[in-house]
Amino acid sequence: MLTPAATTHNSARLSSLHPGSSPSSASSRTEGDAGSIPFSKADFDRVCKHIYQRAGIHLHAGKQSMVYNRLVRRLRTCGIGSFSDYLAQLDHASSSEWEHFTNALTTNLTSFFREPHHFPVLGEHLKKLAAGRPLHIWCTAASTGEEPYTIAISAMEALGRDAASVRIIASDIDTTVLRTAEAGEYPEQAIDSLSPDLMRKYFLRGAGGRAGFVKVRPEVRQLVSFRQVNLLAPTWPKFEPFDALFCRNVMIYFDKPTQARILERFAPLMRTGALLFTGHSEHIPPGGGLFSLRGKTVYERIVK
């Protein structure tokens, strides 16, 4: 049973990459504990090579402990006794294990209205554009769905009934989090920071067996389409030109050349004047001729 959500609770449930210890401490812990599966530096180096080639993610040496803790669960699930045997499965590009490997190593730190200064900017941008045509937005790191649903709520707040013209593509490389996102159901704590008015308008509160959870209302969910997209893939799905693009807290996991290539691929997909939203620690250097700074971590697509 679902009822309008209008109560507040505490902190949102988050998942993140935690800093690992040094390679030497990771080695002593993972190779020395009873019942553990040895994880050598050579194994770690192979993992780094695979995840960089597959997803563009750069892992430094301090992440060896984190990598072990995430992957060892998968080895035990598969009944594999060594990282060497496990990684050998990834030597085949078509291996079904690639999806599980990538899901284990990607980061999913997110919440509703994270970095809130972006959403009034988006709302004003959409108001100026609303002219009887569909408005297209790409959220490139949808994770468990809080960000694309926040974008949808912001569009509905800004445009009212005209928000029906908004089309949000929400993508992620991690298929596990996309399943959570599509369901649109979260612990009540996840909407703790929202006003009672936003809770009531855009969420339903579970009852009975679903007590303690909230579900995004259907009218919000219908604005969002989820799909898997690897930003490092040689081709992307065919998209309509975007009026706004969110790529927040993604670039920090890529090296500089990879960041530049992705920005070069984003630009042709965006209308002139479209807005690109980045994370708080991500900045596009000036002079590239593709984007100009519009506000705090907000960039405008330009054509020179």
Side-chain angles (χ1 to χ4, degrees), residues 19-304:
S21 56
S22 66
S24 59
S25 64
S27 177
S28 63
R29 178 169 64 255
T30 58
E31 295 186 14
D33 294 349
S36 66
I37 299 175
F39 187 51
S40 67
K41 184 179 184 301
D43 293 329
F44 176 69
D45 289 344
R46 287 180 70 187
V47 170
C48 292
K49 179 181 177 181
H50 280 315
I51 197 63
Y52 180 79
Q53 291 177 338
R54 188 75 172 187
I57 295 173
H58 177 71
L59 295 172
H60 59 75
K63 296 294 185 182
Q64 182 165 337
S65 179
M66 179 277 292
V67 167
Y68 172 83
N69 290 331
R70 290 196 170 197
L71 287 180
V72 74
R73 293 192 292 269
R74 181 62 186 164
L75 268 70
R76 288 171 177 151
T77 297
C78 296
I80 298 175
S82 76
F83 275 88
S84 178
D85 289 345
Y86 174 73
L87 294 170
Q89 297 187 20
L90 303 178
D91 290 337
H92 304 285
S94 60
S95 172
S96 60
E97 188 56 34
W98 274 111
E99 180 176 328
H100 299 287
F101 174 78
T102 304
N103 288 353
L105 294 178
T106 48
T107 303
N108 300 299
L109 173 63
T110 188
S111 61
F112 287 101
F113 286 90
R114 186 184 184 194
E115 301 187 47
H117 62 281
H118 282 159
F119 299 103
V121 176
L122 174 67
E124 290 303 312
H125 179 62
L126 295 179
K127 285 180 182 178
K128 293 177 182 177
L129 294 176
R133 67 168 176 85
L135 302 176
H136 296 276
I137 302 171
W138 185 11
C139 172
T140 66
S143 187
T144 45
E146 289 90 336
E147 182 170 296
Y149 289 134
T150 298
I151 294 170
I153 290 170
S154 300
M156 294 173 76
E157 287 289 291
L159 302 178
R161 292 181 179 179
D162 290 339
S165 66
V166 173
R167 306 286 185 270
I168 301 166
I169 299 296
S171 67
D172 204 283
I173 192 174
D174 187 335
T175 55
T176 302
V177 296
L178 286 175
R179 286 192 286 270
T180 299
E182 288 184 310
E185 185 176 77
Y186 304 92
E188 287 182 336
Q189 301 97 304
I191 60 171
D192 171 62
S193 63
L194 275 61
S195 69
D197 182 55
L198 289 181
M199 292 182 189
R200 183 175 55 254
K201 288 168 67 176
Y202 300 112
F203 295 87
L204 296 169
R205 189 173 58 194
R210 305 313 300 160
F213 291 88
V214 294
K215 194 172 185 71
V216 179
R217 285 183 177 271
E219 54 267 36
V220 181
R221 294 166 62 199
Q222 70 182 8
L223 301 185
V224 185
S225 298
F226 293 96
R227 64 182 66 180
Q228 184 190 29
V229 176
N230 181 352
L231 294 179
L232 268 290
T235 60
W236 293 340
K238 182 176 175 57
F239 295 123
E240 295 293 331
F242 290 111
D243 299 288
L245 191 153
F246 282 71
C247 187
R248 307 194 306 169
N249 305 298
V250 176
M251 295 292 194
I252 55 174
Y253 298 105
F254 300 146
D255 58 20
K256 295 296 184 184
T258 303
Q259 293 175 11
R261 288 195 300 272
I262 290 175
L263 289 172
E264 289 171 358
R265 294 181 69 184
F266 282 161
L269 302 178
M270 302 173 68
R271 295 180 183 273
T272 302
L275 297 185
L276 170 63
F277 297 85
T278 67
H280 64 277
S281 60
E282 299 168 323
H283 304 281
I284 298 175
L290 299 176
F291 301 96
S292 64
L293 184 64
R294 168 81 171 267
K296 183 181 178 183
T297 57
V298 181
Y299 298 84
E300 181 175 346
R301 171 74 170 108
I302 59 174
V303 177
K304 289 187 176 181

